[in-house]
Amino acid sequence: MKKLIAILGAIALSATTSSLVVSCTKEIVRGDSTSLADDLYNQLIAHANGVGINVGDIYDEQETKDIIMKIMNEEISNSTFLNSKTAMNEILGFDNNDENKLEILKQFDKIKNSIYTTDFFQKYSTSLINKNPLEYLPEYRTLNFLDTKGLLNEVDASVDAKDGVENKMVYVQYQKISTTEEDGSAGSEKSIKDDSDSWTTWLSYDEPFLDGYSETENIPTIEELTSVDNNFRLVTFKTVDATPTNTGPATVLELNGQSLFTASEVLPFRFNNYFKEVLEPQMNDNVLAYSYINKGLYNTYSSRLTIGGRQNFINTNSDLFKSVQSWNDNIENSKSNLKMVWNFSVPTSQFKDLQIKIIDAKKTNPHGFRSLVDVENAFEGFENLSVAGADPFFGDILTSGYNGIVKNVEGGVEVVSGDLLVDDAAKGAINSTNELNILTGDNYEGYASKDGGSKKEYIVVLPIYLVDLFNPASMNINQEIKTGETTTYKMNMNVDEQVLLNEKIIMGEADITNLKFDFEATKAANLAQFDFEQINDGIYVSAKEGATTLSLKNSADETLIDIDVDLTTGINALSMTGTHNEKTYRYAPKFTSDDSLSSQANFWARWTSEANYKQSSDISGLSISKKEELLSQLIYISTKSEGVVEKAKVDLYSEINGDAIRLNQLFSDLEGYLKSDDEESD
């Protein structure tokens, strides 16, 4: 559809080109979001009339206004996210060029896809478990969601069509997973990825495919959907070679330099029209609020260690932080406001046997469980009959039963993402749970199943803490082995990436004695494997190819500690990265404005203590892409809190109205948006 070229002319407003006068000194007047939106809308219409966008009557005034405001919100969201990221880059001393800004906008597109996808992943996996894939449901079929024509515009790929006309349809392919026993025989629950280079096109039966219809059904299994491997890809086929039964060679597409994906990353392509026509419009206000919350995620303070002279730390008063957890100077007393919930259902005839096993597991773990793998082991030997699906974060461990994310309310919980199926009697217990645990009900009698049928169930609760999500362990020094009085230390590094040595702590230790190194002595001892530079008071070290050991020395040239350097594992910590003078730098955000080494070491020693069962190795151990996905989901959830969208609109609309440069940029962006769509539609 032509987004607004034909729509704008349908408005009979008093606004004229002469009414569009933008003053650089316009006072910011903060009213309610409706009056502020009306002001922006009228200015936009005046501007549109002034540049000659005026074609025929198509829609009535209210329909037109609704569409304009959605597009305007999208443009404001993009500019707010971009401005907050570039401002942080400037604060930290990172470069801000056109290439960086383009990457930031691509990052925001990825974030938006992830917040659209998380709920949908649970819904789709549920449909697989119940053997009723969404592909066959009318509400998805009627949206023609498989028509991905034009999607190539969103994919960074140059398609070579010299051997034939390229079919402008994007399809999803996946690698199948085989199941084998430990001894090699078939039939185990253990999944092993097929080592062959064979790919299967994701299709439902009788679905439009190339110049015909699919004659078979190829839909991923729940194991394939929840695999942590990147076992999905995007392809096109040349129509001269391809038929529904003989597709010929596939052209593999890249998105932002990536050619292999997880299931959650390809769902927006598989169900493209559903995402574009249903999910995106539904979440338009929330995306605007997302950009508002994101800009308040960090505070900054002066620092002599960074390039820009300032450092960032987590804003514990932000809408996000307050939505996720409480904050207490005694961090071990912090409480989670958001929890992930699973139900594990079995027939009543099997419940007594499961009860005995869970009683033993709880006795072994009286304070809670250390990981979801421990929880999975507690249920070993029993099949989960829950009708709920999987989540995109831990679905490879608990492949079914995922209800979603709930938030605490007075006396119980309510779902904020997903579909809560648990018994009402369990909601109070979920509310008061602040560490990973299996809820068993009174006397281990479990809870009634709401799935239907003669079943009983236990409930798994994983509380969420931002402290875990921002755990910097993979950027710091970790103790590997203790034998007698000998300790082995390890640190992950990336080749040629500048590491701020002054901020490194030994995870789990409050003592920083062995980290008080001498710069000149340490530099002299390590020049063969590392490069060093000093910026302000910051000592930066970067690993050369093949680096293995970094020795910290004191002024007497005595070794404080030797650190084994790992150049292959990679870093999974959420961090701030950027370039300066063609070098890459990475900083870990702090949870306090006191950036002294002793303060940071003490903070993480307390949180990661064996006595603190609130810490989650599952969340802190996620890959960096999954952490980014979970963080995006948490910010999106926080936009649903009462009053947040209204507050975001008042703040962002007021900013635009009071900033002539941003206001004119908004007009320019919208004009380009409309004209580009008009060209595509011709």
Side-chain angles (χ1 to χ4, degrees), residues 50 60 82 107 133 185 287 318 367 453 486 523 542 548 605 612 673:
D60 65 34
L82 176 63
Q107 178 190 1
S185 58
V287 170
S318 68
H367 301 292
T486 302
K523 177 180 177 181
S542 60
T548 58
N612 180 26
Y673 189 91

Side-chain angles (χ1 to χ4, degrees), residues 330-334 367 369-370 434-436 465 467-468 603-617:
N330 185 358
I331 59 173
E332 297 87 344
N333 290 336
S334 297
H367 301 292
F369 291 80
R370 290 295 187 185
N434 288 292
E435 58 281 316
L436 173 63
Y465 294 93
V467 182
D468 287 321
F603 178 93
W604 289 107
R606 288 160 58 199
W607 183 258
T608 60
S609 165
E610 285 289 316
N612 180 26
Y613 278 80
K614 293 178 181 179
Q615 62 174 308
S616 170
S617 60

Side-chain angles (χ1 to χ4, degrees), residues 22 24 656 659-666:
V22 180
C24 293
I656 293 288
D659 187 330
I661 295 176
R662 287 192 67 188
L663 188 57
N664 282 301
Q665 184 61 50
L666 174 62

Side-chain angles (χ1 to χ4, degrees), residues 190-296:
K190 182 179 179 181
S191 298
I192 301 176
K193 187 175 177 180
D194 190 343
D195 289 332
S196 68
D197 192 31
S198 61
W199 291 84
T200 300
T201 304
W202 188 344
L203 293 167
S204 57
Y205 178 73
D206 203 31
E207 157 183 336
F209 179 50
L210 300 175
D211 294 330
Y213 293 86
S214 169
E215 298 177 3
T216 59
E217 177 186 274
N218 290 308
I219 292 177
T221 64
I222 192 68
E223 289 80 16
E224 289 156 352
L225 193 78
T226 57
S227 172
V228 295
D229 295 326
N230 290 343
N231 57 327
F232 291 81
R233 69 182 187 181
L234 304 172
V235 301
T236 59
F237 301 103
K238 290 184 171 62
T239 53
V240 294
D241 298 325
T243 67
T245 56
N246 181 21
T247 58
T251 300
V252 180
L253 305 178
E254 288 190 352
L255 181 62
N256 299 331
Q258 183 179 346
S259 60
L260 295 175
F261 307 90
T262 62
S264 59
E265 290 174 319
V266 298
L267 280 173
F269 295 91
R270 171 64 176 157
F271 294 89
N272 181 56
N273 275 23
Y274 180 76
F275 273 69
K276 295 291 185 185
E277 302 296 331
V278 177
L279 295 183
E280 289 187 20
Q282 284 178 352
M283 298 182 182
N284 182 266
D285 282 350
N286 299 99
V287 170
L288 181 73
Y290 183 107
S291 68
Y292 165 77
I293 291 174
N294 179 77
K295 72 173 185 171

Side-chain angles (χ1 to χ4, degrees), residues 380-599:
E380 188 176 8
F382 294 85
E383 180 184 0
N384 189 0
L385 298 184
S386 170
V387 299
D391 71 280
F393 308 106
F394 308 113
D396 59 316
I397 302 173
L398 300 178
T399 58
S400 63
Y402 181 62
N403 285 214
I405 297 176
V406 300
K407 75 171 183 178
N408 285 352
V409 295
E410 186 175 356
V413 293
E414 65 181 24
V415 68
V416 289
S417 173
D419 185 14
L420 189 60
L421 302 175
V422 302
D423 188 354
D424 289 345
K427 292 180 179 179
I430 296 173
N431 176 299
S432 60
T433 299
N434 288 292
E435 58 281 316
L436 173 63
N437 218 334
I438 300 173
L439 304 187
T440 60
D442 294 336
N443 300 315
Y444 291 92
E445 288 299 323
Y447 300 94
S449 173
K450 294 176 70 174
D451 289 350
S454 181
K455 294 184 291 185
K456 294 187 74 174
E457 66 188 29
Y458 289 126
I459 296 168
V460 178
V461 180
L462 173 61
I464 300 172
Y465 294 93
L466 285 178
V467 182
D468 287 321
L469 199 57
F470 283 93
N471 186 315
S474 68
M475 290 180 63
N476 279 300
I477 304 165
N478 292 272
Q479 301 177 42
E480 287 291 292
I481 303 171
K482 280 191 174 181
T483 306
E485 296 182 359
T486 302
T487 302
T488 301
Y489 298 97
K490 175 185 173 182
M491 183 168 67
N492 299 336
M493 295 182 70
N494 296 324
V495 173
D496 292 335
E497 185 174 271
Q498 310 303 306
V499 170
L500 179 56
L501 202 53
N502 310 64
E503 72 173 3
K504 298 306 169 190
I505 61 173
I506 300 173
M507 294 299 295
E509 281 194 9
D511 186 1
I512 62 170
T513 304
N514 287 336
L515 300 174
K516 295 180 179 180
F517 64 92
D518 179 79
F519 173 45
E520 294 299 335
T522 298
K523 177 180 177 181
N526 293 278
L527 280 176
Q529 299 184 56
F530 301 89
D531 290 320
F532 291 82
E533 69 172 329
Q534 182 167 0
I535 302 177
N536 300 322
D537 292 339
I539 307 301
Y540 292 84
V541 58
S542 60
K544 300 177 182 179
E545 288 282 0
T548 58
T549 306
L550 176 65
S551 295
L552 299 188
K553 301 281 189 177
N554 63 18
S555 58
D557 201 31
E558 297 169 332
T559 299
L560 298 172
I561 56 171
D562 286 330
I563 305 169
D564 294 334
V565 173
D566 185 343
L567 300 178
T568 60
T569 301
I571 292 171
N572 76 331
L574 291 178
S575 50
M576 310 296 290
T577 59
T579 58
H580 176 76
N581 291 340
E582 300 183 348
K583 293 181 180 179
T584 300
Y585 295 81
R586 183 190 299 270
Y587 299 119
K590 311 293 191 298
F591 273 89
T592 169
S593 59
D594 181 358
D595 68 342
S596 67
L597 208 59
S598 59
S599 173

